[in-house]
């Protein structure tokens, strides 16, 4: 850890501190803010009628440009643009990573691309996009490949990303111990080992390693045959109880890890066979505990699993679509806030933390672990269920105050029955209904419950239809859901926004661009309310809106939306990724097209 401290202080202006109430924290030793990037754009525009074209562009961004005409039908415009980007605080490659497992799309195990991938001829589990990625991953995959090749097909189907990540973590540690893979200051297992903290940062809901929760469950149930309860007590004191049915499933998954790794001296095959044959529920629970007792006696698997659960990250593409899971030991030191000053994004497997605002020297670097669009109670519930701690950020300490109550009522409450009123409703003890805090009208509780029941039932049916591939049927149902939610919810309702997001996606899949644009525009005001100015989701929604507007020929509106997208996403994403390069070029092409149209109109 001392070597890491020296590296962070020397190269990054960062330091790791341990605070009693939070555990490890990443602290700045200098100011972080924004950086300026000079970007050169080359626009090639086909001119249908040169005599009606004026070469003087009216866009302010083109005042630094030079026009060149190699042919009478073409204009090449060269110009420089200065963009403001969020300063990079930290970048890190994963210690181990695995792509998501989906039935429709396979991804390269090294770079996560889905283009031109081929299956490993030996294990038939892992995919690569080419020899370069396969060679880069070969030292680690060589061992994993041998283990996977011995698995039965029935076991392969149960092989989740979480299990593979666990196996790869163990194998990488083994290879580094044997000096096959080099160990560096930021690429070593000791960092993973050092990251256990009370708050279990970044324990992802979708990728929580099941074995951890099964251990915790048995501790809370106080089964008499458990050992190491004191050890579990200080690590899992805040974890809520897990049901016994889940315990059985978790223990089965834990057994698969051990089947793959083939721990010496542990007859996991016999345990698994007995486990699957057990008829009595109590017998299954006893078998689960038997597995745990044997695993706890080994000093290898338990610590590895704990580190995995504490530090797993969902790797996303530039549009925040999940691609896989990775372990980033240094970035995992960063704590959560519902009002973060930084953002975590990915370019391929590389994780980058960028400043979203000025971060003074001596401040803690903070990111958000969860979706921050929601009331304080919703956020606190998500953090408690997924990460087992209670947030005390500036937003959360307002719980129960007037502003917080109003925000909760707007985002997750009901609308006034007067459709021209935009007030929020609170319970009225006198009438047993809900009173508008603006016009004082009372809305009947029974009416609200009736609409809410219809909306919930229709949402469930629509979700089933969509997941079953019945797109047109799902579209019809979600339109009915939206209609009910408009009657029920405030115009800034999160549920209404999510329904309109679903309708937007369905309509884009059906290539109904005009209706898709309508729904995209309906979500923008809610995004502007629930997300801070430089939030990537807000920038991406502007980007979607701009793409649709440009596709439909609304060039002026597209320029406005794409400009808003670029201004935000340059802060959060930088300008080096292919996605950002394409976005910047798209914006400048739209500007050039608008200028050409304006010049033609003037003539």
């Amino acid at each position: 850890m001392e070597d890491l401290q020296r590296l962070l202080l020397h190269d990054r202006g960062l330091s790791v501190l341990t605070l009693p109430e939070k555990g490890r924290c990443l602290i700045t030793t200098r100011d972080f803010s924004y950086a300026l990037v000079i970007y050169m754009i080359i626009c090639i525009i086909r001119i249908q009628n040169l005599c009606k074209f004026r070469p003087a562009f009216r866009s302010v961004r083109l005042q630094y440009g030079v026009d060149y005409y190699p042919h009478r039908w073409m204009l090449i415009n060269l110009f420089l643009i200065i963009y403001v980007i969020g300063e990079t605080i930290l970048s890190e490659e994963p210690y181990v990573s695995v792509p998501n497992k989906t039935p429709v799309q396979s991804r390269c195990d090294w770079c996560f691309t889905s283009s031109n991938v081929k299956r490993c001829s030996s294990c038939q589990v892992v995919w690569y996009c080419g020899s370069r990625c396969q060679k880069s991953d070969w030292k680690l995959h060589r061992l994993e490949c041998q283990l996977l090749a011995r698995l039965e097909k029935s076991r392969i189907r149960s092989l989740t990303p979480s299990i593979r990540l666990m196996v790869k973590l163990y194998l990488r540690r083994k290879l580094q111990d044997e000096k096959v893979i080099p160990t560096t200051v930021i690429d070593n297992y000791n960092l993973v080992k050092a990251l256990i903290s009370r708050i279990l940062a970044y324990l992802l809901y979708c990728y929580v390693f099941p074995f951890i929760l099964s251990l915790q469950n048995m501790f809370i149930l106080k089964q008499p045959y458990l050992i190491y309860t004191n050890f579990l007590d200080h690590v899992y004191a805040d974890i809520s109880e897990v049901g016994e049915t889940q315990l059985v499933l978790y223990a089965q998954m834990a057994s698969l890890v051990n089947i793959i790794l083939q721990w010496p001296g542990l007859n996991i095959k016999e345990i698994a066979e007995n486990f699957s044959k057990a008829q009595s529920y109590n017998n299954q629970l006893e078998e689960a505990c038997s597995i745990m007792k044997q695993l706890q006696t080994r000093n290898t698997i338990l610590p590895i699993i704990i580190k995995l659960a504490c530090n797993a990250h969902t790797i996303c593409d530039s549009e925040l679509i999940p691609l896989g899971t990775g372990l980033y030991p240094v970035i995992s030191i960063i704590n959560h806030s519902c009002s973060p000053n930084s953002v975590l994004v990915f370019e391929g497997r590389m994780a980058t933390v960028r400043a979203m605002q000025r971060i003074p020297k001596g401040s803690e670097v903070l990111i958000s672990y969860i979706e921050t669009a929601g009331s304080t109670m919703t956020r606190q519930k998500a953090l408690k269920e997924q990460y087992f701690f209670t947030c005390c950020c500036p937003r959360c300490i307002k719980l129960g105050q007037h502003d917080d109550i109003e925000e909760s009522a707007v985002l997750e409450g009901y609308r006034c029955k007067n459709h021209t009123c935009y007030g929020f409703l609170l319970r009225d003890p006198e009438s047993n209904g809900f009173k508008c805090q603006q016009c004082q009208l009372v809305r009947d509780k029974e009416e609200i419950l009736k609409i809410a029941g219809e909306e919930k039932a229709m949402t469930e049916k629509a979700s089933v239809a969509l997941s079953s591939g019945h797109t047109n049927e799902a579209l019809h149902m979600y339109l009915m859901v939206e209609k009910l939610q408009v009657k029920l919810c405030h115009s800034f309702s999160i549920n209404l926004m999510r329904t309109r997001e679903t309708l937007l996606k369905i309509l884009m899949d059906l290539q109904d661009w005009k209706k898709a644009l309508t729904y995209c525009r309906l979500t923008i005001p809610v995004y502007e309310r629930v997300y801070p100015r430089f939030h990537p989701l807000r920038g991406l929604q502007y980007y979607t809106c701009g793409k649709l507007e440009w596709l439909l020929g609304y060039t002026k509106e597209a320029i406005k939306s794409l400009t808003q997208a670029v201004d935000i996403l340059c802060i959060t994403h930088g300008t080096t990724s292919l996605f950002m390069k394409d976005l910047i070029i798209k914006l400048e092409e739209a500007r050039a097209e608008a200028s050409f149209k304006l010049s033609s109109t003037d003539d």
Side-chain angles (χ1 to χ4, degrees):
M1 188 57 69
E2 291 180 0
D3 292 337
L4 176 63
Q5 285 276 29
R6 285 194 293 270
L7 178 68
L8 293 175
L9 281 170
H10 183 267
D11 292 348
R12 294 294 182 186
L14 299 167
S15 178
V16 180
L17 296 181
T18 301
L19 301 179
E21 68 278 9
K22 300 184 74 172
R24 296 181 184 273
C25 306
L26 198 64
I27 306 296
T28 61
T29 58
R30 66 174 178 84
D31 288 355
F32 284 87
S33 185
Y34 305 116
L36 299 180
V37 172
I38 300 177
Y39 209 88
M40 184 177 76
I41 300 290
I42 303 176
C43 268
I44 302 177
I45 305 156
R46 185 177 182 88
I47 302 170
Q48 300 297 335
N49 191 344
L50 187 61
C51 66
K52 291 186 178 181
F53 178 73
R54 293 181 181 176
F57 280 77
R58 286 171 170 76
S59 172
V60 66
R61 294 202 176 209
L62 303 185
Q63 61 183 319
Y64 310 107
V66 177
D67 297 336
Y68 172 57
Y69 298 88
H71 302 285
R72 66 180 182 83
W73 48 267
M74 180 184 292
L75 163 69
I76 297 181
N77 185 262
L78 307 174
F79 51 93
L80 300 178
I81 307 172
I82 298 177
Y83 285 105
V84 180
I85 66 171
E87 187 175 358
T88 298
I89 298 173
L90 184 64
S91 294
E92 185 181 8
E93 289 279 355
Y95 187 75
V96 287
S97 63
V98 291
N100 287 344
K101 183 179 179 180
T102 62
V104 295
Q105 191 178 54
S106 299
R107 293 191 176 275
C108 174
D109 227 64
W110 183 256
C111 69
F112 284 26
T113 184
S114 58
S115 303
N116 303 317
V117 292
K118 295 181 179 180
R119 198 192 303 262
C120 172
S121 58
S122 180
C123 68
Q124 297 290 308
V125 174
V126 176
W127 299 71
Y128 293 104
C129 64
S131 58
R132 183 176 180 179
C133 286
Q134 189 172 21
K135 288 178 181 178
S136 300
D137 196 36
W138 178 241
K139 287 182 179 179
L140 183 59
H141 181 61
R142 180 176 59 85
L143 295 183
E144 184 193 23
C145 190
Q146 295 171 6
L147 296 173
L148 297 178
R150 292 197 295 261
L151 280 183
E152 300 173 1
K153 289 185 178 181
S154 60
R155 296 292 185 185
I156 291 292
R157 287 193 290 269
S158 303
L159 193 63
T160 65
S162 297
I163 293 174
R164 281 200 60 215
L165 196 69
M166 166 66 207
V167 172
K168 292 181 76 170
L169 180 59
Y170 170 77
L171 294 177
R172 185 173 181 85
R173 179 191 182 185
K174 180 177 183 294
L175 291 172
Q176 286 189 328
D177 289 344
E178 295 172 355
K179 311 298 183 183
V180 177
I181 294 179
T183 300
T184 65
V185 174
I186 62 173
D187 183 14
N188 68 81
Y189 183 78
N190 289 332
L191 287 181
V192 181
K193 183 178 179 181
L195 285 172
I196 298 178
S197 67
R198 180 177 60 83
I199 61 174
L200 296 178
Y202 266 108
L203 177 60
L204 294 173
Y205 182 73
C206 295
Y207 299 105
V208 171
F209 196 75
F211 182 53
I212 293 296
L213 295 182
S214 63
L215 289 174
Q216 171 268 331
N217 179 77
M218 290 184 291
F219 168 69
I220 286 183
L221 293 176
K222 296 182 173 62
Q223 301 289 355
Y225 34 75
L226 277 183
I227 58 177
Y228 300 142
T229 55
N230 290 333
F231 171 75
L232 292 174
D233 182 42
H234 80 270
V235 178
Y236 302 111
D238 296 330
I239 304 179
S240 57
E241 185 174 332
V242 177
E244 291 184 347
T245 303
Q246 290 174 290
L247 170 61
V248 174
L249 174 62
Y250 296 160
Q252 287 173 328
M253 295 184 71
S255 71
L256 181 55
V257 175
N258 290 273
I259 290 171
I260 296 171
L261 293 174
Q262 296 185 354
W263 300 99
L266 184 63
N267 192 347
I268 219 58
K269 182 178 181 181
E270 181 181 348
I271 293 173
E273 288 175 353
N274 293 335
F275 195 89
S276 61
K277 292 177 182 177
Q279 301 296 319
S280 166
Y281 188 85
N282 291 331
N283 287 342
Q284 289 189 344
L285 188 59
E286 289 176 7
E287 290 292 343
C289 296
S290 175
I291 293 174
M292 302 314 160
K293 286 172 62 179
Q294 294 186 58
L295 295 181
Q296 285 176 356
T297 62
R298 312 197 59 82
N299 60 4
T300 52
I301 187 169
L302 183 58
I304 292 173
I305 296 173
I306 292 174
K307 279 75 167 185
L308 172 65
C310 289
N311 301 287
H313 294 67
T314 296
I315 300 173
C316 301
D317 65 8
S318 296
E319 297 187 59
L320 303 187
I321 298 173
L323 303 179
T325 310
L327 192 63
Y328 298 84
V330 180
I331 287 178
S332 293
I333 298 173
I334 301 174
N335 286 321
H336 164 83
S337 173
C338 298
S339 299
N341 53 24
S342 311
V343 62
L344 173 65
V345 294
F346 296 87
E347 186 173 341
R349 301 190 319 153
M350 174 70 76
T352 301
V353 179
R354 284 194 175 87
M356 292 196 297
Q357 61 191 53
R358 181 179 176 272
I359 306 176
K361 178 181 177 180
S363 301
E364 183 180 1
V365 178
L366 298 165
I367 59 176
S368 176
Y369 294 0
I370 60 167
E371 167 65 89
T372 56
S375 67
T376 302
M377 290 188 67
T378 299
R379 298 194 312 273
Q380 292 281 21
K381 181 182 178 184
L383 288 167
K384 196 71 175 178
E385 290 178 351
Q386 299 174 38
Y387 303 98
F388 315 117
F389 72 91
T390 300
C391 180
C392 298
C393 72
R395 286 183 70 187
C396 289
I397 60 174
K398 295 180 181 179
L399 179 65
Q401 298 179 13
H402 179 269
D403 289 347
D404 178 67
I405 293 172
E406 178 179 345
E407 188 72 1
S408 299
V410 169
L411 298 182
E412 299 173 3
Y414 309 117
R415 68 167 302 154
C416 180
K417 65 180 182 180
N418 178 5
H419 295 289
T420 62
C421 175
Y422 293 95
F424 64 96
L425 274 59
L426 295 178
R427 283 188 177 274
D428 181 30
E430 296 180 0
S431 63
N432 197 30
F434 292 84
K435 180 184 285 188
C436 176
Q437 302 303 297
Q438 182 169 312
C439 69
Q440 303 302 309
L441 284 176
V442 176
R443 191 167 184 184
D444 184 61
K445 180 180 177 181
E446 296 302 321
E447 176 200 357
I448 289 176
L449 291 177
K450 181 176 180 295
I451 299 175
E454 293 175 1
E455 182 266 340
K456 182 180 179 181
M458 186 58 65
T459 300
E460 292 173 354
K461 291 180 181 179
S463 178
V464 170
L466 186 60
S467 61
S468 302
H470 305 305
T471 308
N472 287 298
E473 182 182 352
L475 173 61
H476 176 70
M477 290 181 176
Y478 273 113
L479 287 172
M480 294 176 66
V481 171
E482 185 209 14
K483 187 176 180 180
L484 290 169
Q485 288 179 341
V486 167
K487 292 180 181 179
L488 180 68
C489 305
H490 195 280
S491 57
F492 287 106
S493 164
I494 297 295
N495 286 338
L496 180 57
M497 181 186 78
R498 299 298 181 211
T499 298
R500 286 171 171 168
E501 286 175 340
T502 304
L503 285 167
L504 167 62
K505 184 179 183 304
I506 293 173
L507 290 166
M508 290 184 69
D509 290 341
L510 295 174
Q511 298 187 6
D512 191 339
W513 309 121
K514 284 190 176 181
K515 288 183 180 178
L517 177 58
T518 298
Y519 279 101
C520 189
R521 285 174 171 174
L522 286 172
T523 64
I524 293 294
V526 190
Y527 270 74
E528 292 173 339
R529 179 175 182 125
V530 301
Y531 295 116
R533 181 183 177 189
F534 294 118
H535 194 287
L537 286 175
R538 183 168 168 176
L540 289 169
Q541 201 70 355
Y542 287 134
Y543 168 64
T544 301
C545 193
K547 284 196 303 181
L548 290 169
E549 287 166 339
W550 195 19
L551 180 66
L552 293 168
Y554 308 137
T555 309
K556 184 178 179 180
E557 293 84 352
I559 291 172
K560 180 181 178 182
S561 297
L562 292 175
T563 300
Q564 290 174 306
V566 168
D567 290 345
I568 293 172
L569 297 177
C570 278
I571 297 290
T572 61
H573 287 57
T575 58
T576 59
S577 67
L578 181 61
F579 169 78
M580 286 304 300
K581 290 177 181 179
D582 289 344
L583 173 56
I584 290 170
I585 291 173
K586 191 182 269 65
L587 171 59
E588 299 311 326
E589 287 177 349
R591 289 178 178 275
E593 181 181 310
S595 182
F596 172 66
K597 287 181 179 179
L598 182 60
S599 299
S600 301
T601 304
D602 290 345
D603 284 343

